[in-house]
Amino acid sequence: MRKRLALFLFVLMLPLLSACETPPSATFPELTFRHKQPVRLAVGSIEVFNEFRMPFAAPNVEHKMPVAPGPAAERWGADVLQAMGGTDKLVMVITDASVTETPLKKKTGLTGAFTTDQTERYAARIAVRLEIRTPENKRRAVAEAFATRSATIAEDASLADRETLWYKLTEELMDDFDTAVRPQITAHLGEFLR
């Protein structure tokens, strides 16, 4: 009798348990930069350091993103920067790779009932310093660049929609960064370009 009662209760609870499942989030392609024109420098090695530490707390959301700006910038450095030989080294330092979420005002009343509002704004920023250093670790030249980009999302967005927006935000931010950093490299590290 107890086994039947337990089985009966389990069968009754099954629809409730399946309703609690989290839908699978979207999958995304690997974000690479091998398609970008390489930056060849007269250095013996390249080191990439990410100084930005994710706070893992609001208003920051990098830790929730499929690809955060920090790891994307590290990948940019690995894919784009090339050491062509020499005694110096290039040090790439990621100083900012933040993405913050800001709530937006929603319409209220009758207008709000018939409107799908944008409820959050995401502001992303990447900042990088490129240093040519001697074997004694003295700076010979420095170039700095940054890029910012923002996007908003609608109140009825699913988790997959949000993750897609975050992925695209990082992708576009890094495209902006690539465009911003190249003139800085030419201006400040030009003598090392090959």
Side-chain angles (χ1 to χ4, degrees):
M1 180 71 178
R2 285 185 177 169
K3 287 183 180 177
R4 283 186 179 162
L5 180 61
L7 181 61
F8 177 72
L9 289 174
F10 176 75
V11 170
L12 283 177
M13 294 295 289
L14 199 56
L16 293 173
L17 292 172
S18 64
C20 293
E21 287 181 24
T22 303
S25 60
T27 56
F28 299 94
E30 183 180 8
L31 186 58
T32 68
F33 304 94
R34 290 186 296 266
H35 61 285
K36 300 284 187 185
Q37 182 180 350
V39 175
R40 296 180 177 95
L41 295 156
V43 293
S45 64
I46 297 171
E47 297 174 8
V48 178
F49 296 102
N50 189 349
E51 287 185 349
F52 178 76
R53 297 292 168 249
M54 294 184 198
F56 292 96
N60 290 67
V61 295
E62 310 88 13
H63 58 285
K64 298 179 181 180
M65 299 174 72
V67 182
E74 290 175 34
R75 183 61 186 260
W76 180 90
D79 287 351
V80 174
L81 302 175
Q82 294 181 2
M84 302 307 291
T87 57
D88 297 324
K89 67 180 174 182
L90 175 71
V91 178
M92 174 178 161
V93 183
I94 301 161
T95 57
D96 191 2
S98 59
V99 183
T100 56
E101 179 184 79
T102 304
L104 301 175
K105 286 186 178 181
K106 289 174 58 175
K107 293 181 182 72
T108 57
L110 192 58
T111 306
F114 295 100
T115 306
T116 302
D117 288 320
Q118 299 292 304
T119 52
E120 285 93 24
R121 178 179 182 270
Y122 296 101
R125 186 174 194 274
I126 189 76
V128 169
R129 184 174 67 246
L130 299 169
E131 303 175 359
I132 301 288
R133 293 187 185 173
T134 66
E136 297 78 30
N137 218 28
K138 293 182 181 176
R139 284 187 193 172
R140 289 192 64 192
V142 179
E144 294 183 274
F146 73 93
T148 59
R149 187 167 273 266
S150 65
T152 61
I153 195 159
E155 62 185 318
D156 60 354
S158 67
L159 175 60
D161 294 336
R162 195 173 300 269
E163 288 180 339
T164 299
L165 179 133
W166 284 337
Y167 180 85
K168 189 173 169 112
L169 180 63
T170 298
E171 186 177 41
E172 292 173 350
L173 176 71
M174 291 309 300
D175 279 343
D176 292 347
F177 170 75
D178 185 79
T179 300
V181 74
R182 289 176 186 272
Q184 297 302 315
I185 290 171
T186 301
H188 301 284
L189 309 181
E191 66 179 289
F192 300 94
L193 285 170
R194 296 295 176 261

